């Protein structure tokens, strides 16, 4: 994003506009935090703003200020299509390819609105007039902070904006422990606390609202954990039956994959989750060091993401998906062994 881009965006925002903000499908804390933070910021600048999420998301994200105003495309198609058609500006947050918003892809593509992408994933597509892409950033929320800064509006950050931004930075950095966490991240976080983000309360809202059943599902996942020392790899699988047994709800498996990565010596961790309704196996991948799960997922599982965190899917059965995964490991042995 050049200085001229910022000037152009400042000019665009100098008069009231109709603005739509879109996070990716199955939005996480960063996607929703960034969307709602930008919502509060643009509302303060007197714009008409709506956040439209492609689909529903876990309850542990539903406490952020103005969450009740978020439209879900899967439930409010007509109203959303109308908003997209009439929008002057569309912000797309925490993703960089329009196939990441499911059924919203076509209405967004055909909307004449000016598009602005703010995102930290690798290999951005070229669909936006203004692209703010930084793959080294901890989170899209940290980028929203810098975006507001570039626009000269840091003093506009109030408790609502600070709360949403804190949430996304916290969730995308694994509570400030992943390699993407920099001293700048901590300075941003310090400022957000100064502006009113209730850090202990936010951690509580996100991490300490487990149901008993979710913990039992975690127990099942951990007992399914398999380690392949030769490839410094660990994986977990959950069948649809496992999910049903423990009354699975959206978001219940969030973070499970990280347990694999916590095994001593492991640099690649994967979780395979059967989804009978969609007829797919959803895959989450995590790594340490230089091993790129973004590359692996792009090459074999129709996905992508970051070097150390990516997602993908498979249309094969759960068993066949795991077999496929194990069969490709030897081709990465030289990389996995050097870690
Ligand atoms: P998670 O494993 O938590 O679902 O996702 C890890 C990272 O990969 C996130 O940054 C997420 O946005 C991205 N990601 C997850 N699933 C996909 C996918 O199917 N395609 C792409 N391109 N990225 C994904
Ligand atoms: Mn993110």
């Amino acid at each position: 994003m050049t200085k001229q881009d910022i000037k152009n965006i400042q000019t665009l925002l100098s008069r009231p506009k109709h603005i739509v903000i879109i996070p990716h499908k199955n939005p996480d804390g960063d996607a929703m935090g960034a969307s709602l933070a930008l919502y509060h910021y643009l509302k303060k600048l007197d714009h008409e703003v709506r956040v439209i999420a492609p689909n529903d998301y876990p309850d542990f994200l539903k406490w952020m200020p103005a969450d009740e105003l978020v439209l879900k495309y899967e439930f409010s198609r007509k109203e959303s299509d109308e908003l997209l058609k009439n929008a002057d500006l569309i912000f797309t947050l925490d993703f960089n390819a329009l196939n990441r918003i499911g059924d919203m892809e076509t209405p967004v593509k055909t909307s004449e609105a000016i598009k602005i992408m703010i995102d930290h994933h690798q290999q951005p597509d070229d669909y936006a007039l203004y692209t703010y892409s930084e793959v080294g950033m901890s989170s899209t929320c940290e980028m929203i902070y810098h975006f507001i800064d570039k626009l000269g509006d840091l003093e506009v950050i109030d408790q609502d904006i600070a709360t949403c931004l804190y949430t996304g930075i916290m969730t995308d950095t694994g509570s400030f422990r992943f390699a993407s966490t920099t001293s700048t991240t901590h300075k941003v976080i310090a400022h957000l606390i100064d502006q009113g983000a209730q850090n202990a309360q936010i951690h509580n809202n996100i991490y300490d609202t487990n149901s008993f059943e979710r913990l039992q599902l975690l127990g099942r996942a951990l007992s399914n954990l398999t380690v392949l020392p030769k490839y410094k790899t660990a994986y977990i699988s959950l069948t649809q039956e496992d999910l049903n047994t423990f009354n699975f709800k959206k978001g219940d498996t969030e973070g499970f994959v990280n347990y694999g990565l916590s095994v001593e010596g492991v640099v690649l961790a994967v979780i395979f989750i059967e989804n009978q309704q969609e007829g797919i196996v959803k895959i989450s991948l995590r790594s340490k060091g230089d091993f790129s799960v973004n590359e692996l997922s792009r090459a074999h599982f129709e996905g992508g993401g970051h070097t150390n965190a990516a997602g993908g899917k498979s249309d094969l059965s759960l068993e066949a998906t795991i077999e496929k995964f194990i069969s490709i490991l030897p081709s990465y042995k030289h990389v996995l062994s050097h870690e």
Side-chain angles (χ1 to χ4, degrees), residues 24 28-31 94-95 119-121 137-141 168 172 306:
H24 56 78
D28 56 9
D30 188 32
D94 201 36
F95 66 93
D119 178 63
H120 66 139
H121 292 89
M137 276 279 172
S138 69
S139 53
T140 300
C141 277
D172 254 31
H306 310 282

Side-chain angles (χ1 to χ4, degrees), residues 15 87 151 207 299:
R15 284 171 184 282
L151 294 173
Y207 297 118

Side-chain angles (χ1 to χ4, degrees), residues 7-273:
K7 275 197 182 141
N8 294 349
I9 293 170
Q10 272 169 332
T11 307
L12 278 172
L13 295 179
S14 64
R15 284 171 184 282
K17 292 278 186 303
H18 289 93
I19 303 178
V20 171
I21 301 170
I22 309 173
H24 56 78
K25 194 174 172 196
N26 301 321
D28 56 9
D30 188 32
M32 288 317 300
S35 297
L36 286 166
L38 186 63
Y39 168 87
H40 289 292
Y41 169 66
L42 294 171
K43 285 293 274 187
K44 281 186 114 174
L45 302 188
D46 273 340
H47 299 288
E48 287 280 328
V49 197
R50 287 310 290 267
V51 176
I52 309 177
N55 63 347
D56 205 0
Y57 43 87
D59 287 345
F60 65 76
L61 295 176
K62 288 187 178 167
W63 55 271
M64 276 186 268
D67 176 77
E68 67 282 3
L69 301 176
V70 174
L71 280 176
K72 283 126 204 165
Y73 192 76
E74 65 173 339
F75 305 136
S76 313
R77 215 168 251 254
K78 247 189 162 173
E79 190 180 356
S80 303
D81 280 337
E82 202 62 25
L83 285 163
L84 289 166
K85 207 172 80 190
N86 296 328
D88 303 306
L89 272 175
I90 295 178
F91 282 89
T92 70
L93 303 187
D94 201 36
F95 66 93
N96 61 21
L98 290 179
N99 63 9
R100 296 277 289 126
I101 52 175
D103 291 346
M104 290 183 78
E105 180 168 1
T106 305
V108 169
K109 256 188 190 155
T110 52
S111 166
E112 283 167 19
I114 290 175
K115 283 150 205 144
I116 303 179
M117 178 210 297
I118 303 179
D119 178 63
H120 66 139
H121 292 89
Q122 308 233 341
Q123 297 163 264
D125 277 358
D126 189 20
Y127 62 79
L129 182 60
Y130 299 108
T131 293
Y132 177 25
S133 160
E134 267 197 48
V135 299
M137 276 279 172
S138 69
S139 53
T140 300
C141 277
E142 186 174 338
M143 295 180 73
I144 297 286
Y145 180 95
H146 296 308
F147 180 66
I148 293 174
D149 190 12
K150 285 174 200 286
L151 294 173
D153 277 340
L154 271 193
E155 76 283 0
V156 176
I157 294 181
D158 60 9
Q159 186 172 30
D160 286 346
I161 298 173
T163 299
C164 298
L165 292 181
Y166 186 102
T167 302
I169 298 174
M170 178 189 83
T171 54
D172 254 31
T173 58
S175 300
F176 321 112
R177 69 199 173 92
F178 298 152
S180 57
T181 310
T182 63
S183 64
T184 303
T185 313
H186 282 286
K187 283 176 195 143
V188 169
I189 282 295
H191 186 213
L192 296 177
I193 293 174
D194 285 343
Q195 294 312 108
Q198 302 288 308
N199 50 320
Q201 184 62 47
I202 294 171
H203 282 259
N204 185 72
N205 291 350
I206 295 285
Y207 297 118
D208 297 340
T209 50
N210 280 314
S211 65
F212 179 62
E213 285 157 320
R214 178 186 185 249
L215 290 183
Q216 288 186 308
L217 181 64
L218 173 61
R220 175 66 60 90
L222 293 179
S223 59
N224 289 350
L225 177 71
T226 303
V227 180
L228 306 171
K230 191 171 158 195
Y231 299 111
K232 298 182 178 176
T233 293
Y235 68 88
I236 291 171
S237 62
L238 286 172
T239 63
Q240 184 70 58
E241 202 185 327
D242 289 329
L243 301 179
N244 296 346
T245 303
F246 299 109
N247 194 20
F248 170 81
K249 287 194 199 59
K250 224 178 237 293
D252 277 354
T253 54
E254 195 82 32
F256 284 10
V257 63
N258 293 310
Y259 286 93
L261 210 54
S262 74
V263 176
E264 193 180 6
V266 165
V267 298
L268 170 62
V270 185
I271 187 166
F272 302 95
I273 303 171

